[in-house]
Amino acid sequence: MSGGKIFLIAVSVIVLLIGLGLIAGGGALLWSGTFLRDSEGYYSTRTINIERDSYGVTTYPAHIEFGPAWLFDWPQLVKVKLKATSNTDSGIFIGVAEEGDLFNYLDGVAYDEVRDLDINRPFRPPRINYRDFPGGPLESPPGQEGFWAASVSGKGTQVLTWGVEEGRYSLVLMNEDGSRGIDVDGKIGVKVPIIGGIGIGLFIAGLVLVLFSFLLVFRV
């Protein structure tokens, strides 16, 4: 067998492996879009219990950056949903705020920050690691502040949806009246409609590469 034929076989094998990988990745995205989304199109976590003896629980600030604004309307395309139900008689407050505004509000206040969340624990509840910030009570209930990018409050189950924006943002859970002691069950969901299109694109690209690899073999 000549060197040229060996080279074509090697290239065809590489192209075949890349194509199979794209098919697997696209198939996984299509499968998740079919079976892991809720009725509103959100990919949601399992129910997480958050119980802390403080005045609030925040997430670690997320640094959010998007591509060119002319390409997509990102806040309409990517959305976050936080659904929470109180296990006490207190009303719930759920908010999203920029890092600077939120931590100015919580300066000197006793609160907890979620530093790690492990939900991949089959048959066991999710595990949360917190960082405790010591301090005193809030100066005012959260609903009286005007810096929130999005917020909801009230008794019973509350659902916050937020079109994601660029910046450094945190989610926060508090009691509606700003009192101490948080005990809620919640879920966090993300909605990215473009995932279905990406899955289809990867699957089709993989099929094309697989067919191309067979054509290379036939030329040997």
Side-chain angles (χ1 to χ4, degrees):
M1 184 178 294
S2 66
K5 292 182 177 181
I6 294 175
F7 176 76
L8 284 177
I9 291 175
V11 170
S12 67
V13 171
I14 294 172
V15 172
L16 175 63
L17 293 175
I18 294 174
L20 292 175
L22 292 176
I23 290 173
L29 290 177
L30 292 173
W31 179 86
S32 67
T34 302
F35 296 102
L36 300 183
R37 291 190 301 177
D38 63 19
S39 59
E40 295 178 297
Y42 285 86
Y43 299 86
S44 298
T45 65
R46 297 158 54 194
T47 299
I48 304 166
N49 178 252
I50 299 175
E51 184 176 0
R52 305 299 291 175
D53 183 28
S54 66
Y55 292 93
V57 177
T58 74
T59 60
Y60 187 78
H63 187 187
I64 302 170
E65 289 186 341
F66 292 131
W70 54 265
L71 189 60
F72 295 110
D73 184 2
W74 295 105
Q76 293 299 319
L77 184 65
V78 182
K79 295 187 177 182
V80 172
K81 178 175 71 174
L82 179 57
K83 180 179 181 180
T85 303
S86 178
N87 295 316
T88 69
D89 293 331
S90 298
I92 305 171
F93 177 88
I94 310 172
V96 179
E98 290 196 90
E99 178 185 18
D101 293 330
L102 179 60
F103 293 125
N104 283 337
Y105 175 59
L106 295 176
D107 185 31
V109 175
Y111 72 98
D112 295 282
E113 182 181 84
V114 176
R115 301 307 296 264
D116 181 59
L117 173 61
D118 184 4
I119 60 175
N120 298 315
R121 291 159 53 87
F123 310 110
R124 292 181 294 172
R127 180 175 58 203
I128 308 176
N129 293 323
Y130 298 93
R131 180 183 177 186
D132 302 329
F133 289 83
L138 293 162
E139 292 186 359
S140 59
Q144 294 183 7
E145 303 297 325
F147 58 79
W148 303 104
S151 66
V152 295
S153 60
K155 293 186 178 294
T157 299
Q158 298 295 315
V159 180
L160 171 72
T161 57
W162 176 55
V164 177
E165 301 174 17
E166 287 192 335
R168 288 183 64 86
Y169 288 90
S170 291
L171 292 168
V172 62
L173 279 172
M174 296 181 181
N175 291 324
E176 185 179 19
D177 59 3
S179 59
R180 186 167 194 151
I182 310 295
D183 186 3
V184 301
D185 291 327
K187 291 183 178 181
I188 299 176
V190 179
K191 184 177 185 179
V192 188
I194 199 173
I195 284 181
I198 294 174
I200 293 173
L202 290 176
F203 195 85
I204 292 175
L207 288 176
V208 170
L209 289 180
V210 169
L211 291 175
F212 181 66
S213 69
F214 287 141
L215 289 176
L216 289 177
V217 171
F218 290 142
R219 293 196 59 180
V220 176

